[in-house]
Amino acid sequence: MLVVAALAYLSGELMLYRDSLAARNLPAGTWATLAALGVLYGAAMLLLAEQWHRIVGLFGELPRARTWPSYTATLVARYLPGNVFHIVGRAAWLQGGALSNAALLRASALELALTPVAAAVLLLPLLPFLPQPIQGIGLALVTGILIALAACRPLRRLAAAWLPRLAPALIFGVAFMAVLAATFAAVTTLVAPVAPHLAAAVALAAWLAGYATPGAPGGIGVREATFVALLSTMIPTETALLAAVLFRGITILGDVVCFFLGAGSTIAARRVQS
């Protein structure tokens, strides 16, 4: 229902501002800049592939030639059939190898928890410097996710058992979230004068909202609705809509870039082995 409500909200806003959006002329070179940001974002997603590799490594030795493709090749599952299915897909990709199904399940659970924690690590220090709407929503998202993770007893026990060894994986997650936040800040700067730390906080809060919503393919709808709701407190709504749509385009391009980077690394590894 939340996904439907978010999509309905976005559809209404797009219809309301469709004329002003259609008349918006972006400066020369903007599309080249956006394409470059998409490639950068896609390359940065390999940080999450490495995070996954480090998590899997807690349960058994697997080469990156196996773990990285299991991440990059299953990205489409976040859109079809929907959010979180790409995490299940990664575990399915690695079945039949050195890790048992139980170990793969534990690794998937740790990744499911660790990635939003990485976003929260960056968002929390920004909260005291943000306007009240963003501060309140960001704090609610972080608190809700942490409570949900703590309430899951199996996940809590699993995290406690592996916590000292999770730090390297978390560092890669935090690094990716920093790139994500900086990319959205750059996109927002292209269309409106928004302070980079404000745009970064909006990006992290919106990503958390999309991630935490079951059934939202790649966070579509929920993430954009959160972008618009928060940015509209600082810039005109139509400009916030434009920033949200442009950033979605960058993330989709990034997924494609990451997919082909993963495919290329797999081919290169096979040639080295042969």
Side-chain angles (χ1 to χ4, degrees), residues 63-69 261-274:
R64 288 181 178 84
R66 284 272 290 157
T67 57
W68 277 34
L261 286 175
S265 67
T266 302
I267 294 171
R270 288 175 178 171
R271 286 178 177 174
V272 170
Q273 290 173 357
S274 62

Side-chain angles (χ1 to χ4, degrees), residues 38-168:
V39 173
L40 172 64
Y41 183 87
M45 291 187 72
L46 295 178
L47 292 167
L48 291 182
E50 180 63 17
Q51 175 186 261
W52 171 239
H53 172 76
R54 298 298 179 102
I55 292 172
V56 170
L58 297 175
F59 302 94
E61 290 295 329
L62 282 178
R64 288 181 178 84
R66 284 272 290 157
T67 57
W68 277 34
S70 74
Y71 183 90
T72 59
T74 56
L75 288 173
V76 68
R78 77 174 71 193
Y79 299 103
L80 292 171
N83 210 12
V84 180
F85 281 92
H86 55 299
I87 296 176
V88 177
R90 288 198 265 284
W93 181 282
L94 295 177
Q95 279 185 325
L99 273 65
S100 67
N101 289 340
L104 290 172
L105 179 62
R106 294 188 185 98
S108 297
L110 283 176
E111 189 201 7
L112 185 65
L114 200 64
T115 308
V117 168
V121 165
L122 287 180
L123 181 57
L124 281 173
L126 291 173
L127 290 179
F129 307 100
L130 303 179
Q132 185 57 45
I134 301 177
Q135 187 180 103
I137 292 175
L139 184 60
L141 283 168
V142 171
T143 303
I145 287 175
L146 293 179
I147 289 174
L149 294 176
C152 180
R153 182 178 296 179
L155 187 56
R156 188 171 66 246
R157 290 178 176 174
L158 185 62
W162 294 103
L163 194 58
R165 300 173 62 187
L166 280 172

